Amino acid sequence: MAKKVMAIIGTRPEATKMCPVIHELNMHPEWFETRVVATGQHREQLDQALSHFRIRPDADLNLMKENQTLSYITSTAIAELDTIISDERPDFILVHGDTQTAVCGGLVAFFHRIPIGHVEAGLRSYNKYSPWPEEINRKIADVVSDFLFAPTPGCKDNLIREGFDENCIYITGQTAVDAAAMTVQADYIFKEERLNDIVNRKGKRLIAVTAHRKENYGPPMERMFRAIRRIADEHPDVSVVYPVHRSPVVRAAAHEMLGGHERIHLLDPIDYPDMIHLLQRSYLVLSDSGGLQEETTVLHKPLVLMRDTTERPEAVAANAVFLAGTDESMIHGTAARLLADEGFYNAMANAKNPFGDGHASKRIVQIVAHHFGFVSELPQPFQLEM
C-alpha cells in the first residue's frame, strides 16, 4: 500500500531544492502518494519556482503579507499546518533547509509524532546571528527530525559532533545540483527582456550581484554597494546586473547608491531559470546569499561572498568561493583581482564541486522507500570529488 509523503515548502530556495525530490517521489506512485503543501512565506518567487518545475501545491496557506514578521509567519504557519496535518495524516513529512516554514513544518510533524526527513541538514556557521535567523532555524529542524539528509560529509560531521545518531544521518549530495541540471539550457532566452540585451553585449564582462541578508542592513550593505560601484567605475568593460530584492530597505539602499550608473542594471527580482542562466553567463558573482554558494560552484563561476560567515565552508575550502566579509576594501580588492589576474580567476573557476553529482533526490527517495520496506538496500552515500 502506498505511503502518504507530505513535502512542505514556503520560499523559492525551498521550492527549487525540493522540487527535484517531489519529481522523484512522483515517479514511484506504487510507493508514495505525494502531497505538496505551500505556506506562501514568499509569494511571487515561490510561485515562479513551482511553475518552472511544474509542481502544483495540493494546499496553499498563502501566508505572506506586507511587512510580515518572523513571529507572524511562525505562529500562523504552525496553526495552519497543524490543521492540514491533522486532516491529511501523512506517513512521512519532508522539510527543507533553514526557513520559518522548515521549522514550523518540522515542529508540527513532531507534535503529531510523524517521521520527519530534513533535506539539507547539518549546515552550520556556529554564529547564531549569522545567517539570521537561519542558523537557529536549521538547528531546530535538525533536532526534531528523524532522517537527516546531509548534503556533504562535513555536514554529517557537524551533526555527529552535536550528538546526533550516526544511523539517522545520510550523505545525499545537494539537491540544488539536481535542480540546476534540470534547468540549464544551451540556447536559453531570458524571460526578463533586458537581460537578453545585457548578457549579449560584446566586449563586456558580466558581474551578477545579489544582496539581501537582514544582518547586512545598514552600514555593511552600504560598504558592499560602495565596493560594487567602484568596480563598475574602474572597469569600463564590466556590466553589473543586480536583481534587487523586494525588501524596502534593500531597494532604497540599492537605488540610492547604485542607481544612475550606465553599466549597473538594477532589475526587479527574476525567476529561477533566469537567475541560473544569469549566473551561467556571468564572469564572476558578488553575493551575500546562502544557496548561490552552491549554484556558482556547480556552474564554475567565482563567487565573492559578501558576508562574515558561511554555513557552506566546503565551497571556501574548494577555492570556489572567497569569503570577503562586508569590508569595502576586501570586496573591491578581490573582485578587481579576479578581473585582472587570470591565474587567480582560473583557480577559482576550475575548482572542484563539493556539493553533489545530480543524484541527491534519488538517494533521498530511496532512503524513504527503504524506511517503508519498498527497497531492500540503502543507496551509496555521495562522495566528494578527489
Side-chain angles (χ1 to χ4, degrees), residues 44-347:
E44 181 181 357
Q45 291 177 308
L46 171 66
D47 293 342
Q48 289 171 343
L50 291 171
S51 175
H52 167 64
F53 288 102
R54 296 180 174 84
I55 299 292
R56 178 174 294 180
D58 299 286
D60 192 330
L61 308 185
N62 198 27
L63 297 185
M64 184 175 177
K65 69 176 185 179
E66 191 173 353
N67 297 320
Q68 62 189 11
T69 65
L70 295 174
S71 297
Y72 159 75
I73 298 168
T74 304
S75 59
T76 310
I78 285 176
E80 297 286 345
L81 287 171
D82 185 70
T83 298
I84 288 175
I85 290 172
S86 295
D87 292 343
E88 291 276 351
R89 296 304 305 172
D91 298 295
F92 197 98
I93 288 177
L94 286 167
V95 297
H96 181 281
D98 56 14
T99 67
Q100 300 312 116
T101 292
V103 170
C104 296
L107 282 171
V108 177
F110 168 68
F111 297 159
H112 288 269
R113 296 176 179 263
I114 297 170
I116 310 157
H118 184 201
V119 180
E120 203 179 78
L123 279 69
R124 297 289 187 269
S125 72
Y126 295 106
N127 181 332
K128 67 186 288 186
Y129 293 115
S130 179
W132 177 87
E134 288 85 352
E135 176 75 2
I136 297 304
N137 285 350
R138 195 185 300 272
K139 287 186 175 182
I140 294 170
D142 284 341
V143 166
V144 298
S145 293
D146 305 280
F147 292 76
L148 296 159
F149 300 124
T152 68
C155 294
K156 178 179 179 178
D157 292 343
N158 292 340
L159 292 164
I160 290 173
R161 281 196 298 269
E162 293 173 22
F164 287 89
D165 183 352
E166 186 172 1
N167 294 319
C168 298
I169 307 169
Y170 304 88
I171 304 173
T172 62
Q174 173 57 260
T175 60
V177 180
D178 304 19
M182 294 171 67
T183 300
V184 170
Q185 301 174 22
D187 299 319
Y188 182 77
I189 298 175
F190 289 91
K191 296 174 186 175
E192 169 52 65
E193 291 290 345
R194 291 174 62 189
L195 285 174
N196 291 307
D197 174 54
I198 295 166
V199 302
N200 291 319
R201 290 179 183 173
K202 293 182 179 179
K204 298 295 182 186
R205 289 184 291 181
L206 197 64
I207 297 179
V209 170
T210 74
H212 68 278
R213 299 220 57 81
K214 289 183 175 68
E215 62 266 29
N216 284 342
Y217 284 7
M221 190 163 285
E222 292 168 8
R223 294 193 294 268
M224 291 156 53
F225 289 167
R226 282 198 297 269
I228 292 166
R229 189 159 189 123
R230 285 175 61 190
I231 288 293
D233 286 340
E234 294 167 6
H235 296 82
D237 67 328
V238 162
S239 289
V240 175
V241 175
Y242 177 11
V244 185
H245 194 272
R246 294 288 186 191
S247 161
V249 175
V250 176
R251 294 181 78 81
H255 284 276
E256 178 182 350
M257 301 188 68
L258 299 175
H261 195 294
E262 64 178 357
R263 285 180 288 101
I264 298 179
H265 307 279
L266 303 180
L267 308 180
D268 286 335
I270 57 178
D271 66 11
Y272 174 72
D274 271 8
M275 191 69 217
I276 285 290
H277 289 92
L278 173 61
L279 298 176
Q280 185 191 40
R281 309 280 181 89
S282 296
Y283 189 76
L284 64 94
V285 181
L286 301 173
S287 178
D288 63 2
S289 170
L292 251 67
Q293 296 171 61
E294 298 151 355
E295 292 160 349
T296 55
T297 300
V298 170
L299 297 170
H300 296 285
K301 301 298 178 179
L303 170 63
V304 181
L305 186 60
M306 302 183 296
R307 48 192 275 194
D308 296 322
T309 62
T310 179
E311 67 278 54
R312 294 165 172 86
E314 296 90 347
V316 177
N319 197 35
V321 170
F322 188 96
L323 185 61
T326 60
D327 179 76
E328 178 183 347
S329 296
M330 183 64 75
I331 295 167
H332 170 268
T334 306
R337 185 180 175 192
L338 283 166
L339 291 166
D341 186 336
E342 187 175 350
F344 182 55
Y345 179 89
N346 288 335

